[in-house]
Amino acid sequence: MKVPFDPDLRPRAHFTARCNWINDPNGLVFADGEYHLFFQHNAEGMVPERASWGHAVGTDLLSWTELSVAIPATDTEYALSGSVVVDRENASGLGTTGQPPMVALYTSLDPVTKIQSQSVAFSTDRGRTWTRYAANPVLDIGSTEFRDPKIIRTGDSWVMAVVMADRWKVRFYRSADLLHWDQVSEFGPLGSVDGVWECPDVVKVPIEGTSEAAWVLLLSVQSGGPAGGSGMQYVVGTFDGTRFDATGEARWLDYGADFYAAVSYTDAPGDAPIIQGWMSNWDYATAVPGGDFRGSMTLPRRLSLRPGEYGLRLVQRPIVAAADPIFRTDDLPVDGRLELPCVGIAMRLTAVFEPGEAQRVGVEVRVGPGERTRIVVDRAAQTVALDRTASGIVDVHPTFPAVHTAPLTDTELVRLDVYVDVASVEVLAADGAVALTAQVFPSPDSTGLAVFAEGGVARLRELIVTPL
């Protein structure tokens, strides 16, 4: 039975709006010591209607202060996804003396004709208030499937990546002033074309163990993901400032059901890009339990690339606050299922197994009467799976109670990094090269933790639990 999600039980470490609906992150940018998280927001209800840009700021990607709606919906224009840059040289002419503007490129949706075009809004007060550009839209091809501009600075110009959603193409446009755009190239189709493409991004990612980097194209696929419904894929390639060419095949970024629309923070400190996504799935996003809010963001994740037998693979490392362990055990034999004296609803756990004779090893989180979420490593199948069939409220959609599976080739020494919050589980395996993200809705009383080994005795070399 579906029940309202207690509004007091918000995620501890994942961003949610004060109230009402949110989906895709927008305009992620670091400016003047602040991270800005904009997001798709219906400020008037719990379903994705009348899209506005909500806005939050923070200094560490961990704690956020929600501000006023940045770009509100109007009766003639809904503000769909896009990006924000700081126009430091005021090439747009939208700034004031001594104050370079923050410029947002976003998709305007005409609620009557459904035409999608690209428009500009700008701010000269550190993003606190926003003004729509008087000559909007700045790019209009008369399409109903033309959206989600991401702006990249290349040399002395700006490049926009924007999708032709139902044609599975990314178009690249170039501009000197963020207001006038010329098409320079096109990429696609490649990889999954089961659902429309959305939310493109092109990021330069460092290669582990080297001083080199490679370009990665991020794409969201509205249906046909690896766990059903929405998903994200990535492609490694080259980018010369105008054209992206793939050098590898398209791969899934996350094998769970609830990682979508992730894009990078523009101008974030450091060489490694930081991405953040929406933690949901369009198959059931409007049906998940909700109180006074619905929807959350994933943890931010820092990216790198790892060379291997099958080329460069994307590695993700969630960003969380440092904390002292609340539980630790070492060198523990495991034969069957073993409940541990550790409880919590918001925690990070790192488990290192030496499987030995066991065929399957793993952990169970949010354990309670009749409830558990299982992370299972199967050595014979060479997989890691996230099982939410008994995770609590599961009747939100026919596909919700499922086991989501990812390939895991090295199972001789297994490390699992699991991030558990009030309504979610994010699993990283293979030292960050394999990811599984899922929403779960257990009872607040389901706070237990267990480890298990099946088919033989395993050894738990290390288990460290810290609060989120």
Side-chain angles (χ1 to χ4, degrees):
M1 177 181 178
K2 299 177 190 177
V3 297
F5 192 35
D6 188 334
D8 293 329
L9 290 179
R10 288 179 180 269
R12 305 292 196 263
H14 294 77
F15 176 80
T16 59
R18 281 190 295 263
C19 61
N20 297 324
W21 169 272
I22 66 171
N23 58 289
D24 305 2
N26 298 155
L28 307 185
V29 66
F30 181 77
D32 296 325
E34 288 183 318
Y35 292 94
H36 293 258
L37 168 59
F38 300 89
F39 49 91
Q40 290 287 277
H41 185 38
N42 177 4
E44 302 171 12
M46 297 284 285
V47 292
E49 297 175 351
R50 292 185 63 84
S52 299
W53 273 34
H55 187 195
V57 294
T59 58
D60 57 7
L61 295 169
L62 303 172
S63 301
W64 299 97
T65 299
E66 188 173 350
L67 304 179
S68 301
V69 169
I71 307 175
T74 70
D75 290 340
T76 59
E77 181 198 69
Y78 297 169
L80 303 187
S81 293
S83 58
V84 169
V85 296
V86 179
D87 181 12
R88 302 188 190 286
E89 298 178 357
N90 197 24
S92 63
L94 300 174
T96 59
T97 302
Q99 183 62 55
M102 297 177 73
V103 178
L105 269 290
Y106 67 95
T107 297
S108 295
L109 171 66
D110 185 316
V112 176
T113 67
K114 308 304 181 184
I115 294 294
Q116 297 177 359
S117 55
Q118 314 317 315
S119 292
V120 164
F122 62 96
S123 172
T124 56
D125 60 358
R126 299 173 56 244
R128 268 50 184 180
T129 59
W130 291 81
T131 302
R132 284 174 161 93
Y133 178 53
N136 279 338
V138 298
L139 181 59
D140 184 1
I141 62 172
S143 171
T144 59
E145 299 285 349
F146 181 56
R147 57 182 176 269
D148 307 341
K150 181 61 192 276
I151 309 302
I152 306 127
R153 182 69 172 176
T154 61
D156 59 354
S157 62
W158 304 91
V159 172
M160 175 196 300
V162 58
V163 291
M164 305 288 291
D166 60 349
R167 293 171 57 186
W168 310 290
K169 290 181 179 290
V170 179
R171 277 192 176 177
F172 291 93
Y173 292 81
R174 185 160 60 183
S175 174
D177 61 5
L178 293 165
L179 303 175
H180 303 86
W181 295 92
D182 298 308
Q183 184 181 342
V184 291
S185 68
E186 198 170 78
F187 173 85
L190 183 73
S192 176
V193 293
D194 288 340
V196 297
W197 282 8
E198 294 188 308
C199 303
D201 197 358
V202 180
V203 290
K204 192 175 185 180
V205 183
I207 300 172
E208 293 179 352
T210 77
S211 59
E212 300 177 348
W215 289 93
V216 175
L217 173 64
L218 306 176
L219 286 165
S220 290
V221 183
Q222 199 174 90
S223 59
S230 310
M232 277 198 70
Q233 59 183 354
Y234 72 93
V235 184
V236 179
T238 61
F239 182 61
D240 64 3
T242 60
R243 180 183 180 87
F244 181 88
D245 289 299
T247 57
E249 62 183 357
R251 296 189 172 109
W252 294 113
L253 187 144
D254 192 298
Y255 286 85
D258 294 306
F259 191 91
Y260 193 69
V263 289
S264 65
Y265 279 88
T266 298
D267 294 336
D271 296 330
I274 298 167
I275 64 170
Q276 194 161 18
W278 175 46
M279 191 183 293
S280 200
N281 189 306
W282 281 118
D283 271 2
Y284 48 73
T286 60
V288 297
D292 56 356
F293 72 98
R294 179 174 280 140
S296 67
M297 298 303 168
T298 67
L299 293 172
R301 301 179 183 182
R302 200 178 304 275
L303 302 183
S304 61
L305 287 166
R306 182 175 299 154
E309 181 181 356
Y310 301 102
L312 295 171
R313 295 294 181 97
L314 201 63
V315 174
Q316 304 174 70
R317 302 188 188 282
I319 297 171
V320 294
D324 294 329
I326 56 175
F327 179 80
R328 178 169 188 156
T329 187
D330 300 284
D331 205 27
L332 180 69
V334 182
D335 186 6
R337 183 175 180 274
L338 178 63
E339 291 199 17
L340 299 173
C342 176
V343 297
I345 60 174
M347 59 187 175
R348 174 190 178 180
L349 65 94
T350 299
V352 181
F353 287 93
E354 187 178 298
E357 298 175 351
Q359 293 304 303
R360 287 167 299 280
V361 297
V363 299
E364 296 178 357
V365 297
R366 298 304 302 273
V367 177
E371 296 182 351
R372 62 181 182 177
T373 299
R374 302 185 89 218
I375 298 97
V376 185
V377 174
D378 188 315
R379 299 177 68 196
Q382 291 194 306
T383 60
V384 57
L386 197 163
D387 179 350
R388 66 176 180 189
T389 56
S391 62
I393 300 170
V394 297
D395 63 346
V396 297
H397 187 270
T399 66
F400 192 91
V403 180
H404 306 143
T405 303
L408 186 68
T409 55
D410 186 0
T411 58
E412 293 308 306
L413 188 67
V414 174
R415 175 184 168 125
L416 298 172
D417 288 293
V418 184
Y419 302 81
V420 183
D421 208 339
V422 172
S424 64
V425 178
E426 295 175 73
V427 178
L428 278 298
D431 196 20
V434 176
L436 289 145
T437 299
Q439 295 180 93
V440 294
F441 300 102
S443 163
D445 296 328
S446 294
T447 60
L449 173 67
V451 295
F452 61 86
E454 299 171 354
V457 179
R459 189 163 293 276
L460 184 60
R461 287 299 184 191
E462 181 180 69
L463 176 68
I464 302 173
V465 181
T466 55
L468 277 185

